[in-house]
């Protein structure tokens, strides 16, 4: 039997509807913020992710779908959207033509992680990258943009955490201090953290096993004056507009972050509690061979956002189901169906090769409020029979009055 690949999934019904609703909310809010769409390929050179997502990250070390194509090129399915967006910014030479760019993308990402609730091997990200501004206002704008999408979509129960990771001046100092502190307690670290202690000690702090052991004792990041000022201004801009918590253990799992990082977390998601995450990445574009361009962005896991919101009571659309009782009425019934759609009524039906009973059964199943039924008499007399599928009440209506009648019911 045909079978899905483990960790991949089909999406349909309520889940698919939720993704579409989220995309609609996001597109609406992106427009308000002047953020334009960027569509980049799903497949890139593997090297792109190794150099940008970072070769100390779990993503690059073991989660990439990477392979060699027939031409001997080393490729990878994108595990995240930021590297592709940065590459597009550089390759399309935006720095010279239009340096301040606000992009969004909606697309599927691939990570060979251990599948569990809220964690898939193919998932959708909705992301934004604001390139070209080093101002704290850009960080605050990115966070509020995300908040407005989450709000429009209808997620109410979530926390916003923020932190500053410092810059290339102050972070190495902290990293050194942290390595010294954690090395002294090496025996208490899990295997994974022992391995990454030298490369990426900050990750120990957000490890589910080791993090809590060091929350109190670990030295805190001391920001240099410029980073401290930046962070203070971001917080000032956010105050009164969004509730947030500062969390010095929030380090995020990607290598490119500098200064502000943030996550939107929902308790209802369990272990995979991040609906969205992001931060500033001022050095990335230059490290990829581009100009020295500051940037800040985030990505939201669309499926997780859907789970966090939960099922929303379906909007009461006026759905109409069109039935033909007789071959001679098929054309009239078909025309009625199209007329209703032109007037923006959700119109189902058209199973005219089935008998009346089967069509009415489908009508009941479809969730339609009304069936519009046409037989030979209706077709000849230019009227229709309307059946209220909830109460069973029937009425007749001239075809030319049909739209007006349903507009009153809408
Ligand atoms: P990330 O934290 O790796 O950041 O992913 C962002 C979001 O994608 C997560 O918060 C989560 O909701 C969702 N996500 C990640 N992995 C999975 C998975 N296996 N299954 C389902 N959902 C998942 C980034 O990807 C950065 N590119 C964000 C960014 C943009 N930073 C700056 N600009």
């Amino acid at each position: 039997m045909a079978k899905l690949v483990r960790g991949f999934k089909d999406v349909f019904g309520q889940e698919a509807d939720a993704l579409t609703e989220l995309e609609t909310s996001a597109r609406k809010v992106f427009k308000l913020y002047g953020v334009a769409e960027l569509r980049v390929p799903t497949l890139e050179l593997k090297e792109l992710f190794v150099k940008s997502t970072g070769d100390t990250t779990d993503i690059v070390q073991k989660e990439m779908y990477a392979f060699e194509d027939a031409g001997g090129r080393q490729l990878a399915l994108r595990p995240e959207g930021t590297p592709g967006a940065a590459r597009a910014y550089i390759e399309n030479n935006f720095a010279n033509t239009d340096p301040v760019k606000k992009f969004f993308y909606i697309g599927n990402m691939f990570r060979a992680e251990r599948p569990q609730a809220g964690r898939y091997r193919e998932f959708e990200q909705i992301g934004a990258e604001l390139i070209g501004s080093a101002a704290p206002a850009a960080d605050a704008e990115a966070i509020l943009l995300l908040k407005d999408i989450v709000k429009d979509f209808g997620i109410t129960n979530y926390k916003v955490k923020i932190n500053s990771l410092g810059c290339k001046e102050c972070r190495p100092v902290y990293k050194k201090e942290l390595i010294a502190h954690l090395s002294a307690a090496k025996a208490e670290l899990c295997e994974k953290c022992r391995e990454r202690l030298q490369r990426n000690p900050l990750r120990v702090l957000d490890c589910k096993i080791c993090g809590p052991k060091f929350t109190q004792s670990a030295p805190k990041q001391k920001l240099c004056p410029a980073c401290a000022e930046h962070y203070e201004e971001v917080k000032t801009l956010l105050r009164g507009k969004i509730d947030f918590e500062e969390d010095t253990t929030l380090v995020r799992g990607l290598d490119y972050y500098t200064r502000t990082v943030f996550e939107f977390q929902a308790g209802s998601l369990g272990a995979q509690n991040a609906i969205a995450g992001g931060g500033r990445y001022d050095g990335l574009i230059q490290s990829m061979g581009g100009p020295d361009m500051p940037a800040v962005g985030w990505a939201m896991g669309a499926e997780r956002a859907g789970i966090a919101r939960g099922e929303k009571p379906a909007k009461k659309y006026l759905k109409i189901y069109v039935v033909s009782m007789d071959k001679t009425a098929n054309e009239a019934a078909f025309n009625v169906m199209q007329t209703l759609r032109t007037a923006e009524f959700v119109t189902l039906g058209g199973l005219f090769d089935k008998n009346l009973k089967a069509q009415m059964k489908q009508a009941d199943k479809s969730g339609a409020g009304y069936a519009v039924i046409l037989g030979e008499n209706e077709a000849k007399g230019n009227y229709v029979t309307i059946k209220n599928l909830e109460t069973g009440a029937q009425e007749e209506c001239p075809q030319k009055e049909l739209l007006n009648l349903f507009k009153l019911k809408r």
Side-chain angles (χ1 to χ4, degrees):
M1 202 177 65
K3 262 191 130 184
L4 262 176
V5 178
R6 185 172 128 83
F8 287 70
K9 65 204 226 83
D10 300 317
V11 180
F12 49 83
Q14 196 269 333
E15 195 180 358
D17 290 347
L19 293 181
T20 307
E21 271 179 55
L22 175 61
E23 289 162 14
T24 307
S25 291
R27 284 180 188 278
K28 184 173 113 188
V29 179
F30 283 137
K31 200 168 226 161
L32 296 177
Y33 279 76
V35 184
E37 185 161 13
L38 173 71
R39 296 187 188 221
V40 296
T42 313
L43 198 66
E44 299 268 5
L45 291 172
K46 178 182 168 191
E47 192 192 55
L48 174 73
F49 304 111
V50 175
K51 290 200 173 146
S52 50
T53 305
D55 54 8
T56 74
T57 61
D58 290 348
I59 296 178
V60 165
Q61 288 200 338
K62 47 184 189 251
E63 293 170 1
M64 275 208 294
Y65 282 95
F67 58 94
E68 186 177 303
D69 76 355
R73 280 174 289 261
Q74 301 298 323
L75 305 176
L77 288 173
R78 61 181 177 192
E80 56 140 342
T82 310
R87 180 202 47 69
Y89 182 88
I90 299 168
E91 262 193 306
N92 292 291
N93 209 13
F94 291 133
N96 290 333
T97 51
D98 189 10
V100 179
K101 281 280 178 200
K102 299 206 272 184
F103 289 130
F104 78 85
Y105 48 84
I106 298 178
N108 286 12
M109 309 291 156
F110 301 82
R111 296 183 192 178
E113 296 189 79
R114 202 161 48 79
Q116 52 175 259
R119 191 158 81 187
Y120 317 108
R121 291 185 163 179
E122 179 178 14
F123 58 97
E124 178 179 319
Q125 274 191 350
I126 297 182
E129 311 293 352
L130 314 185
I131 302 174
S133 170
D139 310 39
E141 190 180 5
I143 293 170
L144 295 172
L145 166 68
L146 177 56
K147 182 203 112 178
D148 284 352
I149 294 172
V150 163
K151 182 169 172 220
D152 192 87
F153 178 54
I155 303 175
T156 47
N157 197 3
Y158 65 93
K159 272 190 203 160
V160 178
K161 294 203 166 167
I162 68 169
N163 189 21
S164 175
L165 299 179
C167 63
K168 59 179 188 297
E169 305 300 326
C170 52
R171 181 145 47 150
V173 181
Y174 174 55
K175 229 170 135 175
K176 228 169 148 180
E177 244 181 84
L178 194 58
I179 291 176
H181 180 84
L182 296 173
S183 300
K186 207 169 172 180
E188 287 179 54
L189 298 178
C190 71
E191 203 185 313
K192 214 163 157 188
C193 284
R194 244 175 275 155
E195 235 175 74
R196 61 186 169 202
L197 175 59
Q198 295 297 327
R199 280 186 282 114
N200 201 349
L202 268 71
R203 290 289 284 150
V204 177
L205 299 182
D206 83 346
C207 164
K208 296 242 152 37
I209 306 164
C210 307
K213 294 183 199 162
F214 297 96
T215 317
Q216 296 301 326
S217 65
K220 302 278 172 282
Q221 163 98 53
K222 287 176 210 66
L223 298 174
C224 65
C227 286
E229 191 189 328
H230 183 99
Y231 190 39
E232 279 311 313
E233 198 170 333
V234 173
K235 288 185 282 180
T236 302
L237 292 171
L238 291 177
R239 274 190 202 108
K241 301 178 191 75
I242 185 171
D243 289 329
F244 62 88
E245 279 171 34
E246 289 182 63
D247 181 351
T248 52
T249 65
L250 180 73
V251 299
R252 309 264 309 125
L254 304 150
D255 278 0
Y256 46 65
Y257 291 117
T258 51
R259 294 192 163 170
T260 318
V261 287
F262 51 91
E263 252 177 37
F264 283 40
Q265 301 173 347
S268 58
L269 286 176
Q272 305 306 318
N273 68 353
I275 316 172
R280 185 164 270 292
Y281 50 98
D282 288 345
L284 179 67
I285 294 178
Q286 191 174 37
S287 77
M288 291 167 68
D292 183 9
M293 271 295 157
V296 56
W298 51 259
M300 166 160 45
E303 292 84 356
R304 286 193 200 170
I307 301 171
R309 187 193 64 176
E311 205 156 328
K312 199 166 132 188
K315 265 196 205 137
K316 273 263 175 225
Y317 291 111
L318 181 55
K319 264 201 224 169
I320 303 166
Y321 197 99
V322 179
V323 169
S324 171
M325 284 197 279
D326 190 292
K327 214 169 179 175
T328 57
N330 284 359
E331 188 181 339
F334 185 81
N335 291 342
V336 163
M337 219 161 55
Q338 291 310 110
T339 306
L340 287 166
R341 287 177 179 149
T342 318
E344 296 185 1
F345 288 103
V346 178
T347 310
L348 310 171
L351 295 179
F352 302 154
D353 56 341
K354 306 259 190 294
N355 65 26
L356 175 63
K357 199 169 155 211
Q359 289 184 61
M360 290 309 291
K361 209 169 152 191
Q362 277 298 323
D364 280 329
K365 238 172 120 176
S366 73
Y370 295 89
V372 169
I373 306 164
L374 290 94
E376 193 180 350
N377 291 342
E378 281 87 350
K380 277 197 185 135
N382 290 322
Y383 71 97
V384 300
T385 298
I386 299 171
K387 183 175 180 187
N388 181 321
L389 293 171
E390 260 169 47
T391 63
Q394 290 200 178
E395 61 184 309
E396 289 175 358
C397 171
Q399 281 183 29
K400 61 176 188 328
E401 293 300 320
L402 191 60
L403 292 184
N404 284 336
L405 186 119
F406 277 128
K407 275 180 191 154
L408 292 176
K409 295 183 192 292
R410 179 140 60 179

